[in-house]
Amino acid sequence: MLLQKTKLRNFLIVFFVVPASFGFTLIHGQPVFKDVTEESGIHHQFAVFEGMFGGGACVFDLNNDGLEDLYITGGMNDDALYLNTGNGMFKDIFKNSGLEKTSHYVTQGVAGADINKDGWVDLFITTITTRDSVKVIPRAENLLFLNNGNSTFRDVTEEYGLKDLVSFSMGVSFGDINADGYPDAYIGNYFQDYEGQLSAINDATIVNANATSKGYLLRNVNGQSFSNVYSDYGLSYKGFGFGGTFTDFDNDYDVDLLVNHDFGYKASPNFFLENKYPDNEYMNRAKELAMDLKINAMGTAVGDYNFDGMLDYYVTNIRFNRFMVSQGEGKAYADKSKELGMGYVSISWGTNFADFDHDTDLDLFVANGDLNPNDVPMADYFFENNNGMFTEKAPAVGLNDYGIGRGSVVFDMDNDGDLDLLVINQKPVLNYPVNSQTHLYRNDAAKGNWLKVALKGIDSDTHGIGSRVEIVVGKIKMIREIDGGSSHLSQNSTIAHFGLGAATAVDSVIVTWTGGKKQVLVNQPANKMLVITEAPGEKGNKKAIVGVVVGTMLMAIVLVRYFITRRKGYKT
Amino acid sequence: MMIHTGDSKYILRTSLFVLAITLFVGVLFTQCMEEPKKNFSGQEVANAWADMALYITRHTPANSPTFASRCFGYIGVTMYESMVHGYSDYVSLAGQLNGLDKLPLPQQGGQYNWIASLNAGQAEILRTIYIQTSDINKHKIDSLESLFVNQFKGDGADAEIIERSIQYGKSVAAAIFEWSKTDGGHRGYLQNFDKTLVIPTTPGSWEPPLYGQSFSHFPLHPHWGKNRPFVKPNAELPAPKLIGYNKGSGSDYYSQFKRVYEKSQSLTQEEKETALWWGDDPSDTFTPPGHSYYLGSLVLRKTNAEPIICAETYARIGIAVADAFINCWKWKYQFYSERPSSFISRNIDERWQSFWPDPPFPAFPSGHATQAAAAATVMIDLFGAEMNIVDSAHWGRSRDELRNVDFKPRTFTSFWQVAEETANSRFYGGIHCPMDNEVGLAEGTKMGKNVNLLKWKKSETYATAKD
């Protein structure tokens, strides 16, 4: 999509391209994705602060009724808490939810996890400043709310030790960094902290305000507080942080961390941190693995697109997104975006891998939107995967929305087995030729069988955030990671979803919980949601190996003694 | 090593070894005890303050080429005015510079140590005009000032003279700082970006860069052109002409961008090195006007110029670059012209990316070219056209891994060669058309000439000002 800013261009988009796309989909029958925003009751726009960033959404089941709900940040507008009431309907229950405190802040991103292992998903919301007062140097604490279990929440920011982390924060993601079952968090900060008092602001502090920042690596201490262990884990870098995604890139069942930085060619590039669990250390492998992307990295989609057992990473950017495909264990990743049919010029933010059409391979959604205050309309992308090549088909499938796209999430909103899509859009800052608002798209054309897997952790995180689900269907092996936060400032559903094509059953479902404990189920029929509860027992490969070795040695000793005594003719 | 007691060779060897050690330690010891105190010459003091000005420029956050250039103007003028009354052939700029009617005069018949006055003046102007710099940097300024004051006092000098000189230097700096407050750029780092600015969108207009140096989507200092130049004739220069917008592939306008595109497809390693050497991004370096000020310090050290010549040189360079940025910015925001990244991606190659990221302001004319030409013009007037220069400003900077470029010192044989290479660096970087550079060089030259036409020496008349 060429980025033209003339009035003529906008005129053409409004009066020709948009209607033509609509007409195109009408001619070809039902759109694959139907924009059901109006009828669903979702009415949302993200309002920026001074032309800056945001927003995002997280998918979670706030009342454990089996229907997935949404929290959407609003920026200068109020946030929204959309309760899924069934049949594709949502109701905003933000008022009287206990979350109203967020209305005093300019919110950015959000992620949900069961912080205190009480069975209810809690919310962590990032902020850049307060709304009430105009701060010379905009900063504010991020907000943590515990779920009361009755569709209300309570603010525990101070209780959990987060009140004094006053920052300009972008994205938050959950992952269990030390495999203790309590979900930890990574927060990307864009500008450095300002810890001083307002009265101490002078010219020197003001000019320092827009320097790069460290992130926060927040360890969840027994579900009762958070502790910033950034430097304890060996981290000292500063960057224009957009956030990170916890992901197990080296297949050793601990959560590594992909960190996105803006202006990577000028300040710090992306980091690709290997978790050295059980040591408390993150080691940067970015340079040797060619993941030190020197771009404006906004968001990440994680998926094994070519079934080779190695996760690949799509990273959004200004102009050219990167599709970093694994070339094998320990080898540098290679950017295959152009080669695989995704070499388009865009300004991209949210992004999600999902098998939308149930043909077993992963398709990719990308939310596009201009920078403020320019606001040139650009349509979102839908890259359909066919035999490992991607074709951009947003107009044909009904996803070529020209709003100012930012965060995006996939989830099964109507429990019909396929994945639907929510895309957050910003309210335009200047005159904008087309509508720009948050959209809910219902997936209406997925043919083929599917399987959903929801994890119930006991020792591990309640929803298995960061854990891995693999399925084997004939010759194909598919991997999913339970998402703790990815896309842009967002978090997808924590229920793993697989498209199975024509297969009516799955040969095996292998769950590897963070830390290494495995569970296997075989012969699972398709078109169901499996709920897998964590089996009790030792976790971790390492302990298992020790156990096996010791056990073998003991058995060997016993056997040797037995044969020796037999040979000597010793009779008891 | 086997030791055989009684071995005469061993005894001799050992004795010599012990003697050598003793001598070595003795020499070391006496050196430490009697280390002669370094006495800095007047020119060393002057050039040390230029180094400090460059250091502060480099290490103050949220700096910009515009604000930095303004500071060099006031810092240079302060150095000159803190000394000028001690040199009978030199003329004060009070009454000559725009809005500067008078400055404190030394006492009639009073005795002064003019280097002590320079020292005090430089410390004072740096502290005030760079008030936003860190406390650590302010300590550095204090330390440098103290180092030299201790020398002046320790020379067996009259304490009263030193004190009088210090107070005088301070008063000159204070008066110049007061004068600076009304030029429109005072504390300009608080207004780097105007978020209420409405940016034109007609074809050929500047757009916030997609591959840019700054996180701001607003352009830098859009009102800087309204500031008061140091030299009145520089305030009256007519605007240059810009080639009219025409995206037709046969037009002059199109061919400007075509040349940038073609050069980008065949950049040599030398050209890449040039692009990076002169990049001078304010967040990493002493800025482009700083590079000109630095070149001045190179030449002054090389020629071992007397302190008053140092002061005159820094004043001329400072004024030249300050006025260059005011006028250049005035025209940038009058024309609001687009960068190659906008035109090329739209009309030639959608996937094109400049070698160097775009700075956050419109293109025409080039700030680099304008200030380099202005600085070269004053240097030529002072030192003549030819000069062997080894520019080591960025020597020691680590390799740019992304672009595969090292920072290697660059040699020149004339001042104008430096200016032309500065301008060309932006062409190689893919962020300026030839016209941005050509017009910048031409206009900068005019401004430099106006600086040369100030009355610096009593013995000079206008007729002898070199072209």
Side-chain angles (χ1 to χ4, degrees):
Chain A
M1 297 255 102
L2 282 178
L3 304 174
Q4 298 222 15
K5 223 165 52 115
T6 58
K7 285 196 180 132
L8 175 63
R9 164 80 179 175
N10 291 347
F11 173 83
L12 287 171
I13 289 171
V14 172
F15 291 102
F16 288 93
V17 175
V18 172
S21 312
F22 182 64
F24 178 80
T25 53
L26 279 183
I27 288 164
H28 286 75
Q30 290 282 55
V32 174
F33 288 92
K34 181 156 192 277
D35 185 343
V36 295
T37 313
E38 281 309 309
E39 53 256 56
S40 71
I42 290 183
H43 189 68
H44 177 273
Q45 265 184 328
F46 183 93
V48 291
F49 167 77
E50 290 193 358
M52 291 205 129
F53 315 104
C58 79
V59 178
F60 71 122
D61 187 348
L62 76 94
N63 56 356
N64 288 346
D65 67 349
L67 294 166
E68 295 208 285
D69 313 300
L70 297 162
Y71 188 91
I72 315 178
T73 58
M76 295 293 285
N77 284 343
D78 287 354
D79 293 354
L81 179 64
Y82 278 108
L83 176 72
N84 188 335
T85 57
N87 299 317
M89 304 291 294
F90 289 83
K91 181 169 175 235
D92 188 352
I93 60 166
F94 181 81
K95 212 163 153 202
N96 299 322
S97 64
L99 294 158
E100 293 92 327
K101 183 180 174 181
T102 58
S103 299
H104 297 280
Y105 294 79
V106 181
T107 54
Q108 287 294 301
V110 58
D114 184 2
I115 305 284
N116 55 355
K117 290 179 84 67
D118 67 351
W120 302 95
V121 179
D122 311 303
L123 289 172
F124 205 164
I125 295 150
T126 49
T127 68
I128 57 180
T129 188
T130 50
R131 268 157 70 182
D132 304 336
S133 48
V134 177
K135 288 186 176 171
V136 177
I137 300 178
R139 300 290 186 273
E141 69 277 26
N142 300 310
L143 303 167
L144 183 68
F145 293 89
L146 287 184
N147 189 333
N148 292 323
N150 59 1
S151 301
T152 69
F153 295 77
R154 68 183 188 278
D155 172 29
V156 295
T157 305
E158 185 165 4
E159 195 181 313
Y160 274 64
L162 297 165
K163 184 160 173 273
D164 292 332
L165 293 178
V166 179
S167 57
F168 194 102
S169 298
M170 293 286 108
V172 56
S173 297
F174 283 108
D176 187 359
I177 66 178
N178 54 352
D180 68 350
Y182 289 99
D184 313 295
Y186 181 80
I187 294 183
N189 297 317
Y190 200 87
F191 293 128
Q192 72 176 2
D193 290 11
Y194 173 67
E195 283 157 27
Q197 300 297 323
L198 275 170
S199 59
I201 290 183
N202 56 23
D203 287 14
T205 47
I206 292 174
V207 299
N208 267 302
N210 294 341
T212 51
S213 177
K214 295 182 180 178
Y216 291 145
L217 183 66
L218 299 171
R219 182 163 64 202
N220 183 336
V221 184
N222 296 321
Q224 290 170 353
S225 67
F226 279 97
S227 168
N228 186 10
V229 295
Y230 197 77
S231 54
D232 297 333
Y233 266 69
L235 302 176
S236 58
Y237 61 82
K238 290 183 174 187
F240 291 113
F242 265 125
T245 294
F246 284 104
T247 174
D248 180 14
F249 71 76
D250 53 4
N251 295 347
D252 65 350
Y253 310 117
D254 55 35
V255 287
D256 312 302
L257 187 57
L258 185 159
V259 176
N260 281 331
H261 281 141
D262 208 1
F263 290 96
Y265 52 83
K266 206 176 123 91
S268 287
N270 271 16
F271 279 70
F272 202 51
L273 302 167
E274 178 192 335
N275 190 342
K276 306 297 274 175
Y277 170 82
D279 291 340
N280 292 345
E281 190 193 340
Y282 269 107
M283 188 162 88
N284 188 23
R285 307 278 310 282
K287 190 155 180 202
E288 70 188 88
L289 295 175
M291 288 296 279
D292 57 336
L293 305 178
K294 298 180 170 75
I295 61 175
N296 300 90
M298 325 278 214
T300 315
V302 184
D304 175 13
Y305 98 99
N306 55 356
F307 308 107
D308 66 353
M310 300 293 298
L311 290 167
D312 313 302
Y313 299 94
Y314 188 87
V315 182
T316 49
N317 183 26
I318 296 179
R319 303 196 78 224
F320 304 107
N321 301 333
R322 300 288 198 270
F323 186 27
M324 305 308 290
V325 175
S326 168
Q327 303 300 298
E329 287 254 13
K331 296 200 179 132
Y333 291 73
D335 175 21
K336 299 282 184 188
S337 52
K338 197 165 172 203
E339 195 179 307
L340 296 177
M342 298 150 139
Y344 289 75
V345 180
S346 59
I347 301 179
S348 303
W349 305 82
T351 180
N352 322 77
F353 273 118
D355 184 2
F356 288 105
D357 49 13
H358 290 173
D359 65 352
T360 75
D361 55 31
L362 289 173
D363 313 300
L364 182 75
F365 173 77
V366 181
N368 292 324
D370 198 4
L371 304 167
N372 293 312
N374 321 4
D375 296 352
V376 170
M378 43 189 88
D380 301 329
Y381 291 151
F382 180 77
F383 290 108
E384 187 182 282
N385 185 345
N386 288 305
N387 296 320
M389 279 295 294
F390 291 89
T391 313
E392 207 291 286
K393 286 194 174 168
V397 304
L399 288 177
N400 60 327
D401 174 64
Y402 283 83
I404 305 163
R406 293 290 188 264
S408 56
V409 292
V410 293
F411 69 120
D412 186 357
M413 72 158 195
D414 46 7
N415 284 347
D416 66 350
D418 58 34
L419 287 175
D420 312 297
L421 184 60
L422 179 87
V423 186
I424 290 84
N425 281 271
Q426 287 181 350
K427 182 175 151 191
V429 172
L430 299 174
N431 290 333
Y432 198 72
V434 296
N435 187 36
S436 178
Q437 66 178 89
T438 297
H439 289 279
L440 178 67
Y441 299 102
R442 191 182 68 209
N443 185 345
D444 276 355
K447 296 179 190 41
N449 298 321
W450 52 272
L451 181 75
K452 283 161 68 172
V453 177
L455 297 184
K456 253 184 109 151
I458 310 292
D459 296 329
S460 305
D461 171 69
T462 313
H463 294 77
I465 283 175
S467 296
R468 181 175 282 213
V469 183
E470 291 164 286
I471 66 169
V472 180
V473 186
K475 290 192 181 132
I476 301 174
K477 196 166 172 190
M478 300 183 211
I479 310 172
R480 299 289 186 268
E481 286 187 317
I482 304 299
D483 188 25
S486 64
S487 182
H488 175 71
L489 310 185
S490 299
Q491 180 191 20
N492 297 301
S493 168
T494 52
I495 298 173
H497 169 277
F498 301 84
L500 304 177
T504 52
V506 169
D507 302 328
S508 21
V509 177
I510 307 152
V511 176
T512 313
W513 301 89
T514 300
K517 189 200 300 178
K518 272 196 192 325
Q519 274 174 260
V520 182
L521 283 73
V522 295
N523 289 333
Q524 297 299 311
N527 303 330
K528 283 181 58 172
M529 176 151 100
L530 271 184
V531 178
I532 301 179
T533 306
E534 184 177 7
E538 300 264 6
K539 66 162 170 269
N541 278 340
K542 299 174 173 86
K543 286 187 181 159
I545 287 167
V546 167
V548 165
V549 167
V550 168
T552 310
M553 281 173 59
L554 283 171
M555 274 191 58
I557 291 168
V558 166
L559 283 168
V560 164
R561 285 198 59 181
Y562 172 71
F563 282 114
I564 287 171
T565 54
R566 268 196 69 180
R567 195 168 294 167
K568 283 187 176 168
Y570 184 86
K571 285 184 183 126
T572 46
Chain B
M1 183 169 75
M2 294 293 289
I3 297 172
H4 304 281
T5 48
D7 185 302
S8 59
K9 271 190 189 162
Y10 164 67
I11 292 168
L12 180 62
R13 209 166 41 223
T14 314
S15 307
L16 281 171
F17 183 64
V18 170
L19 182 63
I21 295 283
T22 312
L23 278 172
F24 178 74
V25 170
V27 167
L28 201 65
F29 192 64
T30 50
Q31 281 280 61
C32 290
M33 292 287 282
E34 293 171 10
E35 176 84 46
K37 257 172 69 178
K38 161 91 174 154
N39 244 347
F40 296 97
S41 65
Q43 47 263 58
E44 282 175 313
V45 175
N47 291 323
W49 278 107
D51 292 347
M52 179 58 76
L54 289 167
Y55 182 88
I56 301 294
T57 304
R58 155 86 179 84
H59 291 283
T60 303
N63 213 345
S64 54
T66 32
F67 186 78
S69 69
R70 173 181 178 270
C71 291
F72 287 118
Y74 291 110
I75 292 166
V77 168
T78 300
M79 191 189 287
Y80 183 75
E81 289 297 326
S82 66
M83 299 181 65
V84 69
H85 296 288
Y87 296 83
S88 54
D89 197 33
Y90 284 82
V91 182
S92 167
L93 295 168
Q96 298 195 68
L97 295 180
N98 209 347
L100 183 66
D101 297 326
K102 56 181 185 161
L103 282 172
L105 291 168
Q107 289 170 20
Q108 280 279 26
Q111 278 193 287
Y112 287 84
N113 177 329
W114 296 106
I115 308 301
S117 173
L118 180 161
N119 185 46
Q122 286 297 285
E124 182 69 11
I125 191 68
L126 270 174
R127 269 193 291 266
T128 47
I129 209 162
Y130 267 107
I131 196 170
Q132 80 278 24
T133 203
S134 66
D135 287 344
I136 293 175
N137 287 351
K138 286 170 184 159
H139 286 318
K140 285 193 203 289
I141 295 170
D142 294 344
S143 295
L144 189 65
E145 186 185 18
S146 302
L147 173 72
F148 294 139
V149 167
N150 288 338
Q151 174 185 310
F152 304 139
K153 288 187 173 161
D155 275 352
D158 184 335
E160 208 184 295
I161 293 175
I162 302 298
E163 192 51 35
R164 183 184 308 130
S165 310
I166 289 172
Q167 289 313 314
Y168 179 68
K170 272 201 162 89
S171 68
V172 168
I176 289 172
F177 183 62
E178 275 311 301
W179 169 56
S180 82
K181 287 180 180 174
T182 52
D183 74 346
H186 179 53
R187 293 168 85 208
Y189 44 81
L190 296 178
Q191 286 128 37
N192 282 349
F193 305 105
D194 178 359
K195 288 172 186 155
T196 66
L197 194 69
V198 177
I199 298 163
T201 55
T202 49
S205 289
W206 176 82
E207 299 168 312
L210 296 181
Y211 181 53
Q213 290 177 23
S214 167
F215 54 77
S216 170
H217 303 309
F218 289 93
L220 174 74
H221 284 146
H223 310 293
W224 198 260
K226 299 173 197 156
N227 290 359
R228 177 187 64 209
F230 282 67
V231 172
K232 282 200 201 83
N234 282 337
E236 288 145 14
L237 287 173
K241 300 259 185 299
L242 169 67
I243 299 173
Y245 176 81
N246 183 344
K247 66 174 187 176
S249 58
S251 69
D252 285 344
Y253 191 83
Y254 186 99
S255 78
Q256 285 285 319
F257 296 94
K258 189 86 197 288
R259 285 164 65 185
V260 176
Y261 181 71
E262 280 163 355
K263 172 50 66 180
S264 75
Q265 304 300 297
S266 61
L267 275 177
T268 64
Q269 187 63 21
E270 161 97 36
E271 287 165 343
K272 289 180 184 177
E273 286 168 3
T274 304
L276 261 65
W277 187 266
W278 296 101
D280 291 332
D281 185 337
S283 43
D284 303 322
T285 72
F286 49 28
T287 77
H291 211 142
S292 295
Y293 208 75
Y294 160 81
L295 288 168
S297 74
L298 271 184
V299 173
L300 290 166
R301 284 183 158 114
K302 186 184 156 82
T303 57
N304 197 26
E306 291 296 310
I308 188 62
I309 310 247
C310 294
E312 184 193 1
T313 303
Y314 290 125
R316 287 210 206 191
I317 293 174
I319 294 168
V321 300
D323 282 3
F325 274 95
I326 293 172
N327 280 328
C328 181
W329 250 243
K330 179 166 68 179
W331 299 324
K332 280 181 187 281
Y333 287 91
Q334 176 184 328
F335 294 105
Y336 255 111
S337 76
E338 62 184 326
R339 296 264 175 192
S341 58
S342 301
F343 188 87
I344 291 173
S345 64
R346 189 164 292 147
N347 299 291
I348 302 178
D349 178 356
E350 190 195 33
R351 302 182 68 84
W352 188 78
Q353 179 167 285
S354 54
F355 179 67
W356 189 247
D358 282 325
F361 34 84
F364 175 90
S366 156
H368 271 62
T370 313
Q371 69 88 23
T377 303
V378 307
M379 296 288 276
I380 290 168
D381 194 50
L382 284 163
F383 298 100
E386 312 295 311
M387 176 68 68
N388 287 327
I389 298 163
V390 179
D391 180 345
S392 304
H394 300 307
W395 177 73
R397 269 181 77 177
S398 49
R399 177 183 182 73
D400 184 321
E401 297 285 354
L402 177 63
R403 297 171 184 93
N404 212 21
V405 171
D406 290 302
F407 290 91
K408 303 187 283 208
R410 304 190 67 75
T411 55
F412 304 92
T413 53
S414 78
F415 291 111
W416 194 247
Q417 195 188 357
V418 177
E420 282 192 323
E421 185 175 283
T422 308
N424 284 335
S425 76
R426 308 309 264 174
F427 176 59
Y428 304 146
I431 60 180
H432 274 293
C433 293
M435 64 180 169
D436 302 342
N437 294 328
E438 285 153 15
V439 167
L441 288 172
E443 296 302 318
T445 303
K446 292 178 198 168
M447 293 178 232
K449 282 186 182 164
N450 285 332
V451 176
N452 293 338
L453 286 173
L454 290 167
K455 196 164 172 67
W456 295 92
K457 292 176 86 167
K458 291 190 178 107
S459 53
E460 255 185 22
T461 62
Y462 285 122
T464 64
K466 299 188 188 68
D467 277 345

